[in-house]
Amino acid sequence: MEKGVFFTIGETRYHIHDSVFNAMMVAVFLLIVGFIVKKMIEKADYKKPPRGFLNIVEIYVTFIEDLVDSTMGKGRRGFVSYMGSLFLFLVFSNLLGLMGLTPPTSDYNVTLALAMMTFILIHFFNIKSNGIGEYIKGYFAPYAFLFPINLLGEIATPISLSFRIFGNILSGSIIMTLVHAALNSVSVILEIPLSAVLHIYFDVFSGLLQAFIFVMLTMVNIGNVFPQDNN
């Protein structure tokens, strides 16, 4: 049976795959949390150090700021909000496997969309920072006959980004499905501790690692288009 959400408008029946629907749910959840944090910040006394959840938020924001400063340069603080949001989305998406749900990042449609966002940002800021002339010239550097290779290199960026996280998360989901099926047929008592250990690796450790790698590669690829003397 095909997974997902089905709904009908008029006489037309529509289907949203469960991975895409879960991605939408993660986005909505993060928007709600962001709205709550905004209200908490507005009510907080700026003269006092943050406490509780706001302290965690401050630590996270500082962590992302330091990451952007060290990877892209201190003049790129404008990317903090995007990188921080991207990392949170990937972390929560990857951790959905712990709840028995399909991780959005196990669907190539989702990871390709995220990689294409990075791809667009790379070329947008390349043109904005260096001008259209230098942008086009870069495809023919250092020699004109290298244009096909340079073009393929640019096309390979979103493909490699999307396949890396997609392959790791999907393989983890498949392995966990096989493990549950195998252990359930042998012993329910063995299934709980062994599956818990494997979930920690495939869903928590691998999920966090892949989210961090994707964000780091995004920062590196975008940061490389800016002139070095401006970093």
Side-chain angles (χ1 to χ4, degrees):
M1 183 178 178
E2 195 170 11
K3 296 182 179 180
V5 177
F6 297 87
F7 60 95
T8 303
I9 299 179
E11 297 181 355
T12 306
R13 191 166 186 260
Y14 296 91
H15 169 237
I16 301 178
H17 196 274
D18 61 339
S19 57
V20 177
F21 180 77
N22 291 342
M24 295 166 61
M25 291 301 98
V26 171
V28 171
F29 170 75
L30 291 177
L31 282 173
I32 294 173
V33 172
F35 179 79
I36 294 173
V37 170
K38 179 178 180 294
K39 292 297 182 181
M40 292 175 65
I41 293 175
E42 291 174 350
K43 295 179 180 179
D45 186 355
Y46 70 92
K47 295 180 181 179
K48 298 180 180 179
R51 296 180 179 179
F53 184 63
L54 281 183
N55 189 36
I56 297 175
V57 172
E58 184 180 46
I59 293 173
Y60 176 72
V61 172
T62 303
F63 166 72
I64 297 297
E65 286 178 346
D66 292 341
L67 208 58
V68 170
D69 288 345
S70 61
T71 307
M72 303 181 71
K74 293 186 178 180
R76 313 297 172 211
R77 283 287 181 92
F79 290 96
V80 169
S81 58
Y82 175 71
M83 299 303 172
S85 301
L86 178 62
F87 184 69
L88 284 178
F89 177 80
L90 289 172
V91 166
F92 280 92
S93 295
N94 294 345
L95 294 179
L96 282 185
L98 291 173
M99 303 172 61
L101 300 174
T102 302
T105 41
S106 66
D107 186 340
Y108 189 65
N109 292 302
V110 176
T111 60
L112 180 61
L114 294 173
M116 288 305 300
M117 290 170 59
T118 296
F119 182 75
I120 292 171
L121 288 174
I122 291 171
H123 293 276
F124 172 79
F125 284 103
N126 194 347
I127 294 173
K128 183 179 180 180
S129 178
N130 302 306
I132 188 66
E134 287 296 322
Y135 171 76
I136 296 175
K137 183 180 177 181
Y139 284 96
F140 298 91
Y143 304 103
F145 68 85
L146 294 178
F147 169 74
I149 297 178
N150 291 333
L151 182 62
L152 286 174
E154 294 297 329
I155 296 174
T157 298
I159 296 176
S160 62
L161 268 177
S162 57
F163 267 112
R164 178 180 286 105
I165 189 168
F166 163 71
N168 280 278
I169 302 303
L170 178 62
S171 61
S173 299
I174 293 174
I175 290 173
M176 287 310 304
T177 300
L178 294 174
V179 167
H180 279 297
L183 292 177
N184 188 45
S185 62
V186 177
S187 173
V188 178
I189 299 177
L190 288 175
E191 179 184 3
I192 296 176
L194 290 178
S195 61
V197 173
L198 292 175
H199 271 299
I200 291 174
Y201 176 79
F202 288 111
D203 292 324
V204 180
F205 175 73
S206 181
L208 293 175
L209 180 62
Q210 292 306 316
F212 180 76
I213 291 174
F214 189 97
V215 173
M216 282 296 297
L217 290 175
T218 296
M219 288 192 290
V220 169
N221 283 310
I222 296 177
N224 285 339
V225 306
F226 293 104
Q228 294 298 316
D229 56 351
N230 288 340
N231 289 336

